[in-house]
Amino acid sequence: AEESFRWITQKLLQLHPNVFLRNPNRMQAGTYTREDWRWALGVVRRRAVILTRRVSGVKFLALVPYVDYVGHSQAADGNITLSLDNHVRVQVGAHAEGTQVHVSRGNFTDSETMFKFHQVSEEENPDNALTITLPGAGGHQGNIVKKVQMIREWREEMQLPPRAADLWRAASALQLYGSEDEYEQGMTTGPQQLGWPGMEPQELPPEVSAVQLYSANLFDLGDGETHVLASHAAKSLAKAAAQLQTAVAVETLQDHQNTDPAVQASINATRNFFFYGLAPSKGLDQLDQLLIRKMELMDRCGGPDNFIIMKGNVSASLLCGARVVLANTSDVEQFYEQKKEIQIFTAISEEDGGFNWSLPISRDNEAAMLTALQDSLSSLLTWYPTSVEEDESLLTLTSLGPRVRSAVLLRLREKLLLLSALQVLREMGEEMSKAIFQVEMMEERRQSKIREAEEAEKEAEQKEQRRKEFYRPQVVANISVNLGGEHPELLEVREGEELEALVAQFAGRFRLSAQDKNTLQTELRKRVRKEAPLLCAQSTIVQDGSRQFVIVLEGESVEEKVLEFVELWDLSVDFRVKMGMAVSARIEKRQERRRLLSLPITVPDGRSLLFTLHEGEQHDPVTLIKEFLAAWKQPMTIAQQLLDAVLSRLPPVQAMVPIGLSAERTVNLRVAEGDDLQTLAAAFCEVFSLPNPEKTIPKVVRVINNHLYPDSLNL
């Protein structure tokens, strides 16, 4: 009632004050009061009925004259409907002649039924339940003011130390640290320590406790409004000191080693404030942050109305909420993750392995939850002045009036609910060894992720090692040389190395004669690996940004070479298919074009390689040579020598026609005597992958002719 009145006041009264005037036409008629509101709300709660629209089936609450005299029974059949003619029709179920008719007005617990209708049905109520209030329930959906108030109440109810921010506000009202400016200026030199007004800290009588200190008139509280504020602050500090004493006593009784770190930090900070005058935190302390996180997790358990016990059952929402209330910092932190490098933690969603409201958190937490609930329910049973047997005996009396009988019946059923819930909790404790705990599951997932990460790292290292081994220059020739020692010496030549230089180095190291050196070089050349002609060297930019080649030699399978490259660089199946098609098409098209040049060359490592140049490639031989040398792992220092050899063997140039491929690149199209311009342009467009060859080829031919015959007319 108070909450609804507050909402009405804030949302409606301030915006539409005339609505709440007792008599808008008469001056000073006054407005409706809190008592008026409570009376009206009581009338609605007791007298209103649920109407069902006959056509749409929509249900709504309404006050209908005389219908409120129809008795309520959840076991009764019938309904109350609103027809299109705005007539309310009450249809009751079967009943004995001469008895009161009933209709069900909704599903209520026995306590709700007693509150609304001042009676309880003799029949068993399948919807009967008891709501258990938990600290922090429903707080996550509230505004900041409500959250702070709930945290304050939570600390008091659970015998936790007071909020640091409350201490600061009270100390600030008493100006224990001076004015705000003085405090801020002092903080630049380190943590501030207060000075008691009128005395030095060491002059404080040892027998004066913190509670007595703030309860006594040791301060000059001023007068007027200042006196009221300061007096309130002093009382607030006295209450906080008493709350600290209770928290310390609870901590001592439990076990210092089992105290939650957030609670211990709050106790220490509060103790430092009271005993040493160290300034408390202005904002949220560790315990505030822990309780806010608990509110968020508890919101996943359900609303406060879901925290109930029923006959032979305890709701999963209540079990979840109790687990969250009793969870410690390490338990709660399991369900939060830090976002990037900033100090913001967000709850992990259940889909991502976060908090699961239906499962126990940890073994210790589950044991604490079962013990706490059993203690709470057992304590509730002790509040009743009578036993189950005494209530059952009272119900046999015929002298009880209907309302007294309903009250006794309500009390008996509540006790039976509590007893059945206690039995359920005891059974849960016996079966706890079979339970699945979230912390263990999350730890297993965490360990699994660690193992997966380690395996992935190990696999990545293995792949990197395979890549290094794959791209490491391979041995093209080797020879064992018996120099009269215990073991023969091995001379190896790898791809890209200079055979003659290695032989000279070997001969110098072992002091070989010139004849032996020549013999060694001759024998080593005989052992040089034979290489098949190169069909394709398809370059690709891989994950690490480097340029690598898919190399296909004559006689090799394109599919196998592409598969080898894809597995080496962990590429997708789609990429494998696309690359396979691209390499096959490139080889096929290149072989269809006329070969202009075949040049056998001997590279520095001693191998004999065949350099080929096909129609269309003569326009940019530099790029072709660089790809050739890179594919065979040869030094680029020989590129110019190979280029000179290639250019000397190509037909004489008639003209060099610049063709712009893009804004950044221009290629000189090489025209030789006897070239067919149509074939020349088609090969050029194919090699340089120019789009729309049907339109591009005629354009290239036109550019060539314009260059060759500048005086001709263009049609």
Short mmCIF file of all heavy atoms in Angstrom, two decimals, residues 397-420:
data_model
loop_
_atom_site.label_atom_id
_atom_site.label_comp_id
_atom_site.label_asym_id
_atom_site.label_seq_id
_atom_site.Cartn_x
_atom_site.Cartn_y
_atom_site.Cartn_z
N LEU A 397 -13.36 -28.51 17.62
CA LEU A 397 -14.35 -27.82 18.45
C LEU A 397 -15.43 -27.19 17.58
O LEU A 397 -15.13 -26.58 16.54
CB LEU A 397 -13.68 -26.74 19.30
CG LEU A 397 -12.59 -27.22 20.27
CD1 LEU A 397 -11.97 -26.02 20.98
CD2 LEU A 397 -13.16 -28.20 21.29
N THR A 398 -16.66 -27.29 18.03
CA THR A 398 -17.78 -26.68 17.29
C THR A 398 -18.06 -25.27 17.75
O THR A 398 -18.86 -24.56 17.13
CB THR A 398 -19.04 -27.53 17.48
OG1 THR A 398 -19.33 -27.64 18.90
CG2 THR A 398 -18.84 -28.93 16.90
N SER A 399 -17.39 -24.86 18.80
CA SER A 399 -17.64 -23.53 19.36
C SER A 399 -16.87 -22.43 18.64
O SER A 399 -17.09 -21.26 18.91
CB SER A 399 -17.29 -23.52 20.86
OG SER A 399 -15.91 -23.87 21.04
N LEU A 400 -15.98 -22.81 17.76
CA LEU A 400 -15.19 -21.80 17.03
C LEU A 400 -16.05 -21.08 16.02
O LEU A 400 -16.79 -21.70 15.25
CB LEU A 400 -14.01 -22.45 16.33
CG LEU A 400 -12.89 -23.03 17.20
CD1 LEU A 400 -11.82 -23.64 16.31
CD2 LEU A 400 -12.29 -21.98 18.11
N GLY A 401 -15.94 -19.76 15.98
CA GLY A 401 -16.61 -18.99 14.95
C GLY A 401 -15.94 -19.19 13.60
O GLY A 401 -14.80 -19.67 13.52
N PRO A 402 -16.59 -18.82 12.49
CA PRO A 402 -16.02 -19.06 11.15
C PRO A 402 -14.68 -18.36 10.92
O PRO A 402 -13.79 -18.92 10.32
CB PRO A 402 -17.11 -18.54 10.21
CG PRO A 402 -17.96 -17.63 11.04
CD PRO A 402 -17.92 -18.17 12.43
N ARG A 403 -14.55 -17.15 11.42
CA ARG A 403 -13.30 -16.44 11.20
C ARG A 403 -12.19 -17.01 12.07
O ARG A 403 -11.04 -17.14 11.62
CB ARG A 403 -13.47 -14.95 11.48
CG ARG A 403 -14.37 -14.27 10.45
CD ARG A 403 -14.37 -12.77 10.61
NE ARG A 403 -15.20 -12.12 9.60
CZ ARG A 403 -15.40 -10.81 9.50
NH1 ARG A 403 -14.82 -9.99 10.38
NH2 ARG A 403 -16.16 -10.31 8.55
N VAL A 404 -12.48 -17.35 13.31
CA VAL A 404 -11.48 -17.96 14.17
C VAL A 404 -11.06 -19.30 13.61
O VAL A 404 -9.87 -19.66 13.60
CB VAL A 404 -12.01 -18.10 15.60
CG1 VAL A 404 -11.01 -18.86 16.48
CG2 VAL A 404 -12.32 -16.74 16.21
N ARG A 405 -12.05 -20.06 13.12
CA ARG A 405 -11.74 -21.36 12.53
C ARG A 405 -10.83 -21.18 11.31
O ARG A 405 -9.87 -21.93 11.12
CB ARG A 405 -13.01 -22.08 12.15
CG ARG A 405 -12.77 -23.46 11.52
CD ARG A 405 -14.06 -24.19 11.23
NE ARG A 405 -13.76 -25.46 10.59
CZ ARG A 405 -13.39 -26.57 11.23
NH1 ARG A 405 -13.26 -26.54 12.55
NH2 ARG A 405 -13.14 -27.68 10.58
N SER A 406 -11.14 -20.19 10.48
CA SER A 406 -10.29 -19.93 9.31
C SER A 406 -8.88 -19.55 9.73
O SER A 406 -7.89 -19.97 9.11
CB SER A 406 -10.90 -18.82 8.45
OG SER A 406 -12.09 -19.26 7.84
N ALA A 407 -8.78 -18.74 10.80
CA ALA A 407 -7.45 -18.33 11.27
C ALA A 407 -6.66 -19.52 11.77
O ALA A 407 -5.46 -19.66 11.49
CB ALA A 407 -7.59 -17.28 12.37
N VAL A 408 -7.30 -20.42 12.52
CA VAL A 408 -6.63 -21.62 13.01
C VAL A 408 -6.23 -22.52 11.85
O VAL A 408 -5.12 -23.08 11.81
CB VAL A 408 -7.52 -22.37 14.02
CG1 VAL A 408 -6.88 -23.71 14.42
CG2 VAL A 408 -7.78 -21.52 15.25
N LEU A 409 -7.14 -22.67 10.88
CA LEU A 409 -6.85 -23.50 9.72
C LEU A 409 -5.69 -22.93 8.91
O LEU A 409 -4.81 -23.67 8.43
CB LEU A 409 -8.10 -23.60 8.85
CG LEU A 409 -8.08 -24.61 7.69
CD1 LEU A 409 -7.80 -26.02 8.20
CD2 LEU A 409 -9.39 -24.57 6.92
N LEU A 410 -5.67 -21.61 8.76
CA LEU A 410 -4.56 -20.95 8.06
C LEU A 410 -3.25 -21.21 8.79
O LEU A 410 -2.24 -21.55 8.17
CB LEU A 410 -4.83 -19.45 7.97
CG LEU A 410 -3.67 -18.57 7.48
CD1 LEU A 410 -3.28 -18.93 6.06
CD2 LEU A 410 -4.04 -17.10 7.59
N ARG A 411 -3.26 -21.06 10.12
CA ARG A 411 -2.05 -21.28 10.90
C ARG A 411 -1.57 -22.72 10.80
O ARG A 411 -0.37 -22.99 10.65
CB ARG A 411 -2.33 -20.91 12.35
CG ARG A 411 -1.12 -20.98 13.27
CD ARG A 411 -1.47 -20.46 14.64
NE ARG A 411 -2.48 -21.28 15.30
CZ ARG A 411 -3.09 -20.96 16.45
NH1 ARG A 411 -2.78 -19.81 17.04
NH2 ARG A 411 -3.99 -21.75 16.99
N LEU A 412 -2.49 -23.68 10.86
CA LEU A 412 -2.13 -25.09 10.77
C LEU A 412 -1.51 -25.40 9.41
O LEU A 412 -0.49 -26.09 9.32
CB LEU A 412 -3.37 -25.95 10.99
CG LEU A 412 -3.20 -27.46 10.76
CD1 LEU A 412 -2.16 -28.04 11.70
CD2 LEU A 412 -4.53 -28.18 10.88
N ARG A 413 -2.14 -24.90 8.35
CA ARG A 413 -1.61 -25.19 7.01
C ARG A 413 -0.24 -24.55 6.80
O ARG A 413 0.61 -25.11 6.10
CB ARG A 413 -2.60 -24.69 5.96
CG ARG A 413 -3.88 -25.54 5.89
CD ARG A 413 -4.87 -24.99 4.90
NE ARG A 413 -6.05 -25.84 4.80
CZ ARG A 413 -7.14 -25.52 4.12
NH1 ARG A 413 -7.20 -24.36 3.46
NH2 ARG A 413 -8.17 -26.35 4.08
N GLU A 414 -0.01 -23.37 7.36
CA GLU A 414 1.32 -22.76 7.25
C GLU A 414 2.37 -23.63 7.92
O GLU A 414 3.47 -23.84 7.39
CB GLU A 414 1.30 -21.36 7.88
CG GLU A 414 0.60 -20.32 7.03
CD GLU A 414 0.67 -18.94 7.64
OE1 GLU A 414 1.12 -18.84 8.81
OE2 GLU A 414 0.28 -17.97 6.97
N LYS A 415 2.05 -24.17 9.10
CA LYS A 415 3.00 -25.03 9.80
C LYS A 415 3.25 -26.32 9.02
O LYS A 415 4.39 -26.81 8.96
CB LYS A 415 2.50 -25.32 11.22
CG LYS A 415 2.67 -24.14 12.17
CD LYS A 415 2.26 -24.47 13.58
CE LYS A 415 0.76 -24.40 13.73
NZ LYS A 415 0.32 -24.43 15.14
N LEU A 416 2.20 -26.86 8.42
CA LEU A 416 2.38 -28.08 7.63
C LEU A 416 3.24 -27.81 6.40
O LEU A 416 4.05 -28.65 5.98
CB LEU A 416 1.01 -28.63 7.21
CG LEU A 416 0.14 -29.17 8.35
CD1 LEU A 416 -1.22 -29.60 7.82
CD2 LEU A 416 0.83 -30.35 9.05
N LEU A 417 3.07 -26.61 5.81
CA LEU A 417 3.93 -26.23 4.68
C LEU A 417 5.39 -26.15 5.12
O LEU A 417 6.29 -26.64 4.43
CB LEU A 417 3.49 -24.88 4.10
CG LEU A 417 2.26 -24.85 3.21
CD1 LEU A 417 1.95 -23.42 2.79
CD2 LEU A 417 2.43 -25.72 1.99
N LEU A 418 5.63 -25.53 6.27
CA LEU A 418 6.99 -25.40 6.78
C LEU A 418 7.60 -26.76 7.08
O LEU A 418 8.77 -27.02 6.75
CB LEU A 418 7.01 -24.52 8.03
CG LEU A 418 6.67 -23.04 7.83
CD1 LEU A 418 6.50 -22.35 9.17
CD2 LEU A 418 7.73 -22.36 7.00
N LEU A 419 6.82 -27.65 7.68
CA LEU A 419 7.33 -28.99 8.00
C LEU A 419 7.64 -29.78 6.74
O LEU A 419 8.66 -30.47 6.66
CB LEU A 419 6.31 -29.73 8.87
CG LEU A 419 6.15 -29.20 10.30
CD1 LEU A 419 4.96 -29.87 10.99
CD2 LEU A 419 7.43 -29.45 11.10
N SER A 420 6.76 -29.68 5.74
CA SER A 420 7.02 -30.41 4.49
C SER A 420 8.24 -29.85 3.77
O SER A 420 9.03 -30.59 3.18
CB SER A 420 5.79 -30.34 3.58
OG SER A 420 5.55 -29.00 3.14
#
